Amino acid sequence: MIAYRLITNDDTSEFCHRITEALSKGWTLYGSPSYGFDATKGVMRCAQAVTKDVPDQEYSSDLKLGAL
């Protein structure tokens, strides 16, 4: 199975730490990051898709992707 996650957060170092943590756990960047302005909060928001090949795992909607 290839797992897919879209990691989002405000444009702070916390976002970069979340991406770095995912990469350190074997996730791979998928595409380019995206940025957008959140008018409600008045901040820039970031998003980055990541994928991970998990050959011994079958997909289930109950799967906790962040735990892979």
Side-chain angles (χ1 to χ4, degrees):
M1 170 185 86
I2 296 177
Y4 171 92
R5 293 172 59 199
L6 181 65
I7 300 172
T8 62
N9 209 338
D10 292 348
D11 186 12
T12 65
S13 62
E14 182 181 346
F15 174 76
C16 295
H17 284 285
R18 291 183 66 198
I19 300 301
T20 301
E21 178 184 26
L23 295 173
S24 73
K25 292 182 177 182
W27 292 83
T28 302
L29 297 176
Y30 183 82
S32 299
S34 297
Y35 298 93
F37 184 69
D38 182 340
T40 303
K41 293 176 68 178
V43 298
M44 291 298 290
R45 299 272 300 162
C46 303
Q48 174 65 59
V50 293
T51 61
K52 184 176 185 179
D53 187 16
V54 191
D56 58 336
Q57 180 74 48
E58 289 201 23
Y59 175 75
S60 165
S61 61
D62 297 331
L63 191 62
K64 302 294 183 202
L65 297 171
L68 293 176

